[in-house]
């Protein structure tokens, strides 16, 4: 199981980035997915997560209305569209995949509910 995240970079406040996470050696279909971030000196937090059926999604209060999570099963990829970026969004962003394959509206959000993690991609929001 390999997850490769990319798309991070340096962006000015108010700008946008689209993070991508591509899975290899297994299919993302029917797995819960999530994006987490960790800033220096802070704990890893869930930014946005989606249920296995894509019926439900979770967004941290700090990103609601600005970030959008999506999945493309044909490309075996997960995305995080980030708009109106703020300096406080600066962090290392990780994609993650749930531990079990099923059909459920439940949205996993705790790190322990995810079994595979990407290597992280750095997002820096600064003028």
């Amino acid at each position: 199981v390999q997850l490769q995240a990319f798309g991070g970079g340096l962006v000015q406040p108010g700008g946008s980035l689209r993070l991508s996470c591509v899975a290899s050696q297994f299919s993302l279909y029917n797995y819960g997915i999530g994006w987490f971030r960790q800033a220096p000196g802070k704990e890893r937090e869930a930014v946005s997560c989606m249920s296995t059926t894509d019926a439900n999604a979770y967004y941290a209060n700090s990103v609601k209305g600005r970030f959008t999570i999506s999945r493309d099963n044909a490309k075996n990829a997960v995305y995080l569209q980030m708009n109106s970026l703020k300096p406080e969004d600066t962090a290392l962003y990780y994609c993650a995949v749930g531990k079990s394959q099923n059909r459920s509206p439940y949205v996993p959000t705790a790190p322990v509910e995810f079994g595979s993690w990407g290597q992280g991609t750095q997002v820096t929001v600064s003028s």
Side-chain angles (χ1 to χ4, degrees), residues 61-120:
N61 287 334
S62 58
V63 307
K64 281 182 180 177
R66 301 188 297 123
F67 290 12
T68 303
I69 189 172
S70 62
R71 179 206 312 253
D72 187 334
N73 287 322
K75 296 183 178 180
N76 215 25
V78 177
Y79 306 101
L80 185 68
Q81 178 66 44
M82 305 186 296
N83 299 327
S84 302
L85 283 162
K86 304 175 180 180
E88 50 264 43
D89 294 319
T90 295
L92 189 61
Y93 283 70
Y94 299 88
C95 59
V97 178
K99 291 183 176 179
S100 62
Q101 193 175 28
N102 56 66
R103 298 285 293 174
S104 170
Y106 173 75
V107 183
T109 59
V112 295
E113 296 182 288
F114 293 83
S116 300
W117 294 81
Q119 83 286 5

Side-chain angles (χ1 to χ4, degrees), residues 19-81:
L19 304 184
S20 300
C21 178
V22 179
S24 59
Q25 299 179 4
F26 81 107
S27 172
L28 290 173
Y29 184 66
N30 283 344
Y31 279 93
I33 56 175
W35 286 96
F36 292 76
R37 67 186 180 187
Q38 188 166 19
K42 295 187 177 181
E43 293 187 355
R44 186 173 299 189
E45 64 170 345
V47 175
S48 182
C49 305
M50 185 177 286
S51 65
T52 61
T53 61
D54 295 353
N56 297 309
Y58 161 87
Y59 293 94
N61 287 334
S62 58
V63 307
K64 281 182 180 177
R66 301 188 297 123
F67 290 12
T68 303
I69 189 172
S70 62
R71 179 206 312 253
D72 187 334
N73 287 322
K75 296 183 178 180
N76 215 25
V78 177
Y79 306 101
L80 185 68
Q81 178 66 44

